Amino acid sequence: MRPALLLLACLTFAQAQTVEEARLQQVATRLPALNTAFAGLTRDFAHDWANSRDALEATRVAREYGRKLWLGAKARLHEQGDFDDRPLYWARLALTSIIRDNKPAFPLFEADRTTAIAALEQSSRGMDEIRYDPDRKIKRILLTGFDPFALERNLDQSNPSGVTALLLDGEEIVVNGERARVEVAVFPVRYADFDAGMVEDFLTPWMAGPRALATWQAAAGKLPAWVEPQVDMVVTVSMGREQFDLERYPGLRRSAKATDNLAALSGGSRTAPVIPLLHGLPLVGPEFVEFSLPVAAMQTANGPYKVQDNRWVRVMPDTRMAAGGLAALHGKTAVEGGGGGYLSNEISYRSVRLRNQLGLTQLPVGHIHTPSIQAFEPAKTADITKQVLEMLKAAIKTL
């Protein structure tokens, strides 16, 4: 075994880990190239983590290395042009595994460890790196992608939405003299993170503005008299079906049989869909919401795939229907939104619900489902990312 792999193996597999982290052992054996991409950063982090003097320094180190990983993954993707998001995913798990299983030089409480992991997660997902130009004439697009998933079936699975996010982060788009800057974040495929409010906690400052957020939190959820959206469009992206689907009607409930990356089930089914949580309480909202992306413009985007305005949903009792409007869905119980009953649908529902709750009737918010890929298909992923960019260019003209 090469020295970098031996070090990673020693650091990563000493103790019991999460289901995600435990897969690192298979990756080291079957897909070693995915480990070597950031082996040096992993080694340096293990050293600095072990030599942290207190909990504050440990968290600072975790956040710093998360940022290094994010920036390094972006640079690597642009330099190599391989359309591969997997090294970022597996390196992040190697770092969280070190935090979870290796003791620093001082007594570390479990709460401190949790804080350090959260800091690393946030910074390594681009959430700390969002920087817009203060000139509001430059439009602001906030885009999210997802980690690879279905790893229990395909350990080498990539996710075009994560690749798209990495490639577009910080990019400035110019269309007919109109300028827009794209900033991104990549979300985990884990039900628990969504239940804990990760989507709302991330999006609220950008949708409502920091002043409104502070007032809202202080008033225990009461909406202030002003809302200052800091972005001009919010686009969530995930891997989906055969073509591009713009998911018009996200649904409230979970019903997918598929497990998440921690092997957790949704808890629901087509015959008994369940309501997810928000900060430990049932998520409160209508059964269906409607997105507000500029559909007609985005459907003109050139590329090898059709861009569909998907109106199909599933309602109780397990009935599929094409909705002609929200009125047609009134009084019905959601089984699946346009994006299904998994986390792709859920990030779409939560973002549109938040938009509605904040009263941002003019803010375009919605979800793009990309064509799916089998494991790792860089050529197909390249086509997908280019067409997403064309959709954004088309949307800019309407903002």
Side-chain angles (χ1 to χ4, degrees), residues 132-145:
Y132 289 110
D133 194 297
D135 182 1
R136 287 310 302 263
K137 292 181 180 178
I138 302 175
K139 302 299 183 182
R140 301 173 177 183
I141 298 174
L142 184 59
L143 180 144
T144 70

Side-chain angles (χ1 to χ4, degrees), residues 141 143-146 159-161 164 168 233-241 243-248 291 293-294 298 301 306-308 339 344-345 347-348 351 365-371 384-385 387-392 395:
I141 298 174
L143 180 144
T144 70
F146 272 106
N159 191 328
S161 71
T164 299
L168 293 182
M233 183 165 69
V234 177
V235 183
T236 56
V237 188
S238 66
M239 183 173 72
R241 308 177 184 96
Q243 307 294 328
F244 280 104
D245 286 314
L246 305 180
E247 305 297 5
R248 183 171 286 273
F291 80 164
L293 292 179
M298 295 175 78
K306 185 177 180 181
V307 181
Q308 303 178 136
S344 295
N345 168 79
I347 197 170
S348 177
S351 58
V365 179
H367 192 76
I368 299 173
H369 247 138
T370 76
I384 290 169
T385 60
Q387 198 162 351
V388 172
L389 178 58
E390 291 303 311
M391 280 188 242
L392 297 183

Side-chain angles (χ1 to χ4, degrees), residues 323-335:
L326 278 180
L329 297 171
H330 181 70
K332 299 185 184 301
T333 299
V335 175

